[in-house]
Amino acid sequence: MSEEPLFDPSLKKRKKKQVAFSEDPLGADADPTTPAPTTIDNVTTNGDTVDMGPTTMHEQMMQNVSIDDDASKVDEYPMLVDLKKKKKKKDIPMDLPEEESGTSTPISAPAGAEDLDFSDLKKKKKTSKKKAALDMEAFEKELNEAKAKEGDGEDVDGAPIDEIDEAELGEDPFARGAEVPSVDAGGEAWLSSDRDYTYAELLRRFYAQLHASNPALLNTAGKRHTLAPPQLMREGNKKTVFANVADICKRMHRQPEHTIQFMFAELGTTGSIDGSGRLVIRGKFSQAQIENVLRRYIVEYVTCKTCKSPDTLLVKENRIFFVACESCGSRRSVNAIKTGFQAQVGRRSKNKTG
Amino acid sequence: MNVQNLATFDPFADEGEAVNTQDVGSQQNYIHIRIQQRNGRKTLTTLQGLPKEYDAKKLLKAFKKEFACNGTLVDDEEAGQVIQLQGDQRTKILNFLVEEGLPKNTIKVHGF
């Protein structure tokens, strides 16, 4: 009885965290931090191997391969080819599991979050691309580390859990020749040895089997739910007109009133709908700001927390709103929209109560 | 979905996120950081729902010093004591509170 509600929230929260915070509230503030490491990484990883040359990942890969060729490390070569192959079909979740689990989650999470985003916005795209680049960078660095380890250590067999991926990708060269196909097939590496399987391996196995048995999942991942970007105009000096509210609400399958109420509560302002169905908001707001608010609305009131699908219905029962998912059938209550404390702004004489 | 209206003690109260004890509609225990537009490009930041164990007055003092802005303490009938600061201090407040050891999932930042 009491188990369920207590257990549920934490689960939900985990998921929400992955979706939401990669690019959500104050994404503008968070953004500068993520690209910054990329450049630094670029310098460091390239600094010793390549000079500033490559800009795209493919070029970089090519250069890396060529360098390795020059060094005539035939051993590393198959691995790199593998990697290249992976990169080409990068957006298919199927081979995500082949990368290390640490990187695979961040890649998949933003993809989920972007599902119903304003994908025609360049900024978003750029960040996601950068993120992917960052992941690749990290992955590559790890590869290099693994190489280095092989170079001097030679035996990384008894690697601890956090290094398990490196150990798997670059175990000792003799074993790997035989192991490569098995890793590709889904990686039941623990069958050959007497060690225990790790979580990462099991996860990989799960995803491999999942996608093998229902390939439909791959197709739906490609199908994005997109929304038109909000069209904002300034009306006079103090008002903003949000032209396509009705359209956006319709696409989200939400009552415009609910969306508008949420927006007003979040923005801490008021407004009205004019004759032609446009929303007039008091205050100056930019498109990015409204978009942020909408994004938060979608995360909170539109997407299903369980399956992340936006095919949901919002129903009100006994003054409580419930979101029922159309695709997975889950149902959860959502918070009522509350404005909260509003500070006194403007002249007191205009305010009847004050 | 079972609604437990009569549950008095909730050990996961600060776990946030739709704990279904207490009446479902109310948002409990969150610290809300909001922003409000004033005239021109000026803004106000309000902090509502501070737990009782923190002294709002001292916190306000620390905020003012740290963020180099002015602010006041407002008493509201519903919201209780609300800290009100000049300018957009939302991220700064969030960082401050998190650094002081408040769990991040109890803090909600609103606004654009």
Side-chain angles (χ1 to χ4, degrees), chain A residues 39-85:
Chain A
T39 55
I40 292 166
D41 268 348
N42 236 331
V43 172
T44 51
T45 49
N46 295 352
D48 41 6
T49 56
V50 196
D51 19 294
M52 289 308 289
T55 48
T56 66
M57 288 318 288
H58 279 285
E59 279 176 45
Q60 204 169 342
M61 285 312 295
M62 294 300 277
Q63 287 206 2
N64 275 349
V65 169
S66 67
I67 281 172
D68 280 336
D69 272 343
D70 289 345
S72 75
K73 281 184 183 174
V74 194
D75 254 330
E76 318 304 334
Y77 193 68
M79 202 157 67
L80 282 168
V81 169
D82 235 30
L83 230 173
K84 256 170 94 181
K85 200 173 59 190

Side-chain angles (χ1 to χ4, degrees), chain A residues 79 81-87 89 92-104 139 142-143 164-166 168-169 180-187 200-201 203-205 207-208 211:
Chain A
M79 202 157 67
V81 169
D82 235 30
L83 230 173
K84 256 170 94 181
K85 200 173 59 190
K86 257 181 234 165
K87 187 150 340 107
K89 37 176 192 175
I92 303 173
M94 181 71 171
D95 29 8
L96 280 184
E98 295 202 2
E99 297 179 12
E100 60 127 0
S101 61
T103 58
S104 72
F139 184 53
E142 232 156 78
L143 272 183
I164 210 75
D165 311 287
E166 290 165 19
E168 227 172 320
L169 281 176
V180 163
S182 80
V183 166
D184 271 338
E201 283 167 349
L203 194 67
R204 196 168 306 166
R205 184 179 136 92
Y207 273 112
H211 289 301

Side-chain angles (χ1 to χ4, degrees), chain A residues 233-264:
Chain A
M233 290 162 273
R234 188 65 51 74
E235 186 178 283
N237 202 16
K238 292 189 172 169
K239 284 178 188 165
T240 313
V241 177
F242 183 178
N244 55 352
V245 222
D247 180 41
I248 286 179
C249 290
K250 214 163 106 189
R251 291 221 210 164
M252 291 191 300
H253 306 291
R254 285 294 170 275
Q255 296 293 320
E257 290 79 35
H258 190 256
T259 315
I260 290 168
Q261 196 193 351
F262 177 82
M263 283 176 57
F264 285 163

Side-chain angles (χ1 to χ4, degrees), chain A residues 21-37 127, chain B residues 91:
Chain A
F21 296 127
S22 52
E23 53 190 11
D24 184 40
L26 320 178
D29 296 343
D31 272 344
T33 59
T34 40
T127 55
Chain B
T91 40

Side-chain angles (χ1 to χ4, degrees), chain A residues 1 9 13 16 26 29 266-267 283-285 289 296 300 305 331 333 336 338-343 345, chain B residues 1-2 15 17 20 24-25 27 34 36-37 44 48 74 76 82 84 91 105 108-112:
Chain A
M1 183 78 167
K13 205 170 45 193
K16 190 189 157 200
L26 320 178
D29 296 343
E266 279 294 291
L267 297 171
K284 295 177 193 170
F285 297 99
Q289 291 171 331
R296 222 173 306 162
E300 189 140 2
K305 288 269 153 88
R331 211 172 115 88
S333 65
K338 261 195 178 171
T339 314
F341 172 73
Q342 287 291 2
V345 176
Chain B
M1 227 5 84
N2 45 2
E15 276 290 300
E17 189 57 30
N20 283 334
V24 179
Q27 299 140 326
R34 292 200 176 80
Q36 228 178 320
Q37 283 197 333
L44 275 180
Q48 173 195 333
V74 181
D76 191 67
V82 177
Q84 188 175 313
T91 40
N105 48 15
K108 268 198 173 174
V109 179
H110 298 265
F112 30 82

Side-chain angles (χ1 to χ4, degrees), chain B residues 6 12 14 16 18 20-21 24 26 29 33 35-36 38 46 51 57 60 70 72 76-77 80 84 94 98 103 109-110:
Chain B
L6 299 176
F12 285 83
D14 59 349
N20 283 334
T21 55
V24 179
S26 78
N29 295 351
I33 304 173
I35 192 164
Q36 228 178 320
R38 286 181 54 215
T46 59
K57 211 169 165 188
L60 174 67
N70 207 350
T72 50
D76 191 67
E77 296 110 44
Q84 188 175 313
L94 181 66
V98 169
V109 179
H110 298 265

Side-chain angles (χ1 to χ4, degrees), chain A residues 146 149-150 153-160 163 166-168 170-172:
Chain A
K149 214 168 276 177
E150 267 177 78
E154 191 89 85
D155 46 357
V156 262
D157 266 350
E163 287 176 354
E166 290 165 19
E168 227 172 320
E171 231 154 274
D172 54 321

